[in-house]
Amino acid sequence: MRLLIMGPQGVGKGTQAARLAEYFHIPAISTGDIFRYNLKNQTELGKQAQAFIDKGELVPDELTNSIVKDRLAMDDAKGGWILDGYPRNASQVEALDKMLEELDTPLDAVVALDADHDVLMKRMMKRAEIEGRADDTPEVIAKRLDVYTKETAPLLDTYETRGVLVEINGVGDIDEIHKNIVAELEK
Ligand code: ADP
């Protein structure tokens, strides 16, 4: 199973990605998590990405594409994967298309989670308190949502046109949402 999980900040991508990873026995690959790991460990990659992440901007495509390419080439990704937080703009879609073509492994589906703006804001505020992420200040959250609306949301149309989009309501019980996703994927 090769999946993307998409949707706005706070919609529950990470939570559902973890559940799907467990269900399908595939790794959940989150570009945000990879960047945070590198920030924490002050690697070269972390240092290059820091200023962008702190501002809520996208890390430059060249850098992001190359970490995804390396990650998809790892052994545990041979049997499938779920990508969370990538692609986030049209040029990343193109880069991913190229990677998958080279690997001869097409995408099976794109799961799009959605929720109302109010629900998203409430969840983001709660998460900010719990996790204490440096990029969870009101200004940076607003910037990330703005980037999502302008650059990432339009990609859903791309995948819908390709006939791989599965739209799921992201509001409700975590188990129920998981079941809904699996039911749609197994159709
Ligand atoms: P969120 O979806 O809540 O904004 P993520 O953990 O997915 O959080 O991403 C955190 C930050 O990491 C983003 O604001 C961005 O700076 C960077 N990032 C993550 N994924 C990408 C990507 N695909 N392209 C560029 N930057 C990314």
Side-chain angles (χ1 to χ4, degrees), residues 9 13 31-33 35-36 52-53 56-59 64 85-86 88 92 127 133 135 144:
Q9 282 74 8
K13 293 188 296 286
T31 45
D33 284 349
F35 284 131
R36 272 185 291 281
F52 300 97
I53 294 172
E57 292 170 5
L58 294 184
V59 174
T64 308
Y86 181 92
R88 266 165 131 105
Q92 293 183 7
R127 184 172 81 182
R133 259 169 66 171
D135 63 347
R144 280 153 54 211

Side-chain angles (χ1 to χ4, degrees), residues 8-152:
Q9 282 74 8
V11 82
K13 293 188 296 286
T15 304
Q16 293 300 331
R19 297 292 302 267
L20 290 168
E22 193 181 22
Y23 184 85
F24 289 113
H25 306 288
I26 51 178
I29 300 172
S30 154
T31 45
D33 284 349
I34 295 174
F35 284 131
R36 272 185 291 281
Y37 173 86
N38 281 278
L39 286 181
K40 203 175 110 202
N41 294 289
Q42 279 295 299
T43 65
E44 196 46 46
L45 171 65
K47 286 177 193 159
Q48 285 175 292
Q50 176 118 46
F52 300 97
I53 294 172
D54 286 349
K55 282 187 267 183
E57 292 170 5
L58 294 184
V59 174
D61 292 334
E62 211 177 309
L63 207 57
T64 308
N65 292 336
S66 79
I67 65 163
V68 173
K69 190 172 184 189
D70 291 348
R71 185 63 188 84
L72 294 185
M74 286 169 75
D75 264 350
D76 69 333
K78 295 268 188 292
W81 34 258
I82 176 159
L83 269 175
D84 163 9
Y86 181 92
R88 266 165 131 105
N89 62 24
S91 124
Q92 293 183 7
V93 170
E94 233 177 84
L96 179 63
D97 285 345
K98 203 166 147 233
M99 287 174 219
L100 299 186
E101 213 178 306
E102 278 169 16
L103 293 166
D104 199 20
T105 54
L107 264 184
D108 292 300
V110 176
V111 176
L113 293 173
D114 203 9
D116 283 344
H117 185 80
D118 288 359
V119 173
L120 298 175
M121 289 312 282
K122 268 194 205 134
R123 288 187 187 168
M124 297 279 285
M125 291 306 160
K126 195 169 152 201
R127 184 172 81 182
E129 271 175 36
I130 297 169
E131 294 181 9
R133 259 169 66 171
D135 63 347
D136 270 348
T137 63
E139 296 76 24
V140 179
I141 289 173
K143 175 68 187 172
R144 280 153 54 211
L145 284 168
D146 187 49
V147 171
Y148 177 81
T149 305
K150 289 193 181 127
E151 302 202 43
T152 313

Side-chain angles (χ1 to χ4, degrees), residues 1-6 20 24 81-83 86-87 96 100 106-112 159 162-167 181 184-187:
M1 197 53 114
R2 286 176 297 271
L3 303 171
L4 306 183
I5 190 156
M6 298 185 72
L20 290 168
F24 289 113
W81 34 258
I82 176 159
L83 269 175
Y86 181 92
L96 179 63
L100 299 186
L107 264 184
D108 292 300
V110 176
V111 176
Y159 288 116
R162 296 185 189 183
V164 288
L165 192 70
V166 171
E167 288 180 284
I181 298 173
E184 285 297 320
L185 292 177
E186 289 183 338
K187 260 187 195 166

